[in-house]
Amino acid sequence: MLTNEEVAQTIINQFGEAVTDFDDPYDLLTCSTSRDQIVPLITYLQGHQTFQFGFLTDITAIHYPDSAGKEFCVVYHLHSLTNNFRLRIKVYLTADDVHIPTMTPLFAGANWMERETFDLFGIIFDGHPDLRRILNMEEMDYFPMRKEYPLEDGTREDKIDALFGR
């Protein structure tokens, strides 16, 4: 049975300081790497004789508008079905450069996940075979999951704040 410590130490031995921020919230091993290292890291984990991370559960993103230099975070969830072990890998991007390599050569299922992440967050997956919107209309000129707009309409007068716990 794999442990978080064993997998983390193997990654550190192979990639050194290119993989950082190891943590295990809710016992889910989590680490961060750069856009330059994400493909080599996942390729290594997928082909590792013991780990066998052969299933890409999800690719998504998070928008942190107040985190200068780390405004976007692309998150990969991998699963080793053989070992029943899960791993989360994060890659932080700046708002000025939201490019990251595609995972479609490694996982065919990454195709739709990357299209969804592009559609909702505007992350550009370089090398993707068909990067276009998947949920929204092509004519949209914004990305709905970015935190670029206020959550409430401040001009509304029909709300009673006391009813909303304010």
Side-chain angles (χ1 to χ4, degrees):
M1 181 171 178
L2 293 178
T3 65
N4 287 350
E5 294 77 17
E6 176 186 357
V7 174
Q9 192 58 55
T10 303
I11 292 171
I12 291 168
N13 291 345
Q14 183 68 27
F15 290 91
E17 294 180 10
V19 181
T20 59
D21 300 330
F22 283 90
D23 196 5
D24 59 350
Y26 304 102
D27 205 32
L28 175 62
L29 181 61
T30 303
C31 61
S32 298
T33 191
S34 67
R35 89 178 88 217
D36 299 330
Q37 289 296 315
I38 190 64
V39 172
L41 175 59
I42 291 181
T43 301
Y44 173 77
L45 293 169
Q46 185 183 36
H48 193 279
Q49 189 171 359
T50 304
F51 297 164
Q52 301 176 28
F53 282 100
F55 185 72
L56 179 65
T57 306
D58 189 30
I59 301 174
T60 190
I62 306 168
H63 186 202
Y64 297 113
D66 298 329
S67 296
K70 291 184 170 185
E71 289 87 0
F72 290 94
C73 179
V74 180
V75 183
Y76 299 84
H77 288 105
L78 299 173
H79 189 185
S80 169
L81 299 171
T82 306
N83 297 296
N84 193 26
F85 191 89
R86 297 172 193 272
L87 173 66
R88 176 189 300 136
I89 304 171
K90 299 178 180 182
V91 178
Y92 290 93
L93 305 172
T94 65
D96 298 335
D97 187 5
V98 291
H99 290 261
I100 193 163
T102 185
M103 286 296 148
T104 55
L106 298 175
F107 298 101
N111 188 318
W112 282 40
M113 295 177 205
E114 290 176 354
R115 284 183 61 192
E116 179 185 46
T117 305
F118 164 72
D119 191 5
L120 299 176
F121 291 93
I123 305 297
I124 299 169
F125 292 89
D126 295 328
H128 190 281
D130 187 22
L131 192 61
R132 59 187 166 96
R133 291 193 181 267
I134 193 168
L135 299 170
N136 295 301
M137 300 178 302
E138 287 290 335
E139 298 80 30
M140 286 182 67
D141 61 352
Y142 61 94
F143 302 100
M145 293 300 287
R146 288 186 177 184
K147 298 174 184 173
E148 298 175 329
Y149 304 98
L151 293 177
E152 294 187 34
D153 181 359
T155 63
R156 285 185 59 180
E157 296 178 6
D158 61 333
K159 297 187 303 183
I160 301 170
D161 283 346
L163 297 177
F164 294 94
R166 295 179 257 192

